Amino acid sequence: MAYVTTLGTKPDITKYRKDVFDDAMLKRCEEIMREVCASFETELREFNGERDHVHLLVHYPPKVALSKLINSLKGVSSRYLRAEYTGRINRIGLGCVFWSRSYFAGSCGGAPISIVRQYIEGQKRPI
């Protein structure tokens, strides 16, 4: 198995860095992303976010095409979040695009998982 973490502000940064997320929306986003990971036979080990982006720690087998996993995470979460939080998202003015097209994926094989978890848990989650 391999690890990937999305550190920094990508892959899941909202288009134009708008302050979209609150705690309830982040909880729903995590639920959606856990379901997507399960469908890929991967495990979302850590999830956290701030007002304009999220961080993930995903445990995945080498057979999983990372680009397909990321595209599904973004596509499925975008559809569900836009449907469930239409008023909030429209008020902020994101248009028809929720996530940016870019992402960062880094292997953390050299870093201890405890350090990566600590980084993800240390995000300034909105209340």
Side-chain angles (χ1 to χ4, degrees), residues 47-113:
F47 176 95
N48 205 352
E50 295 186 14
R51 293 198 175 274
D52 62 355
H53 66 279
V54 299
H55 294 263
L56 312 170
L57 177 64
V58 180
H59 189 218
Y60 68 99
K63 69 179 183 178
V64 171
L66 187 56
S67 61
K68 290 183 188 238
L69 174 61
I70 297 292
N71 285 339
S72 288
L73 287 167
K74 287 183 170 190
V76 172
S77 64
S78 177
R79 281 192 300 280
Y80 279 98
L81 293 174
R82 292 177 67 74
E84 296 172 21
Y85 296 91
T86 302
R88 180 178 179 81
I89 292 170
N90 288 344
R91 226 180 11 258
I92 293 169
L94 287 176
C96 63
V97 178
F98 188 79
W99 299 115
S100 72
R101 293 183 310 179
S102 60
Y103 66 90
F104 168 81
S107 171
C108 59
I113 293 302

Side-chain angles (χ1 to χ4, degrees), residues 30-49:
E30 180 178 2
E31 290 171 4
I32 294 165
M33 290 190 170
R34 285 192 185 282
E35 291 171 11
V36 171
C37 283
S39 72
F40 273 81
E41 298 177 6
T42 64
E43 180 187 0
L44 179 57
R45 294 226 171 143
E46 293 292 327
F47 176 95
N48 205 352

Side-chain angles (χ1 to χ4, degrees), residues 14-21 51-53 92-94:
T14 58
K15 185 75 169 177
Y16 307 118
R17 301 253 350 187
K18 301 282 185 173
D19 289 346
V20 174
F21 294 110
R51 293 198 175 274
D52 62 355
H53 66 279
I92 293 169
L94 287 176

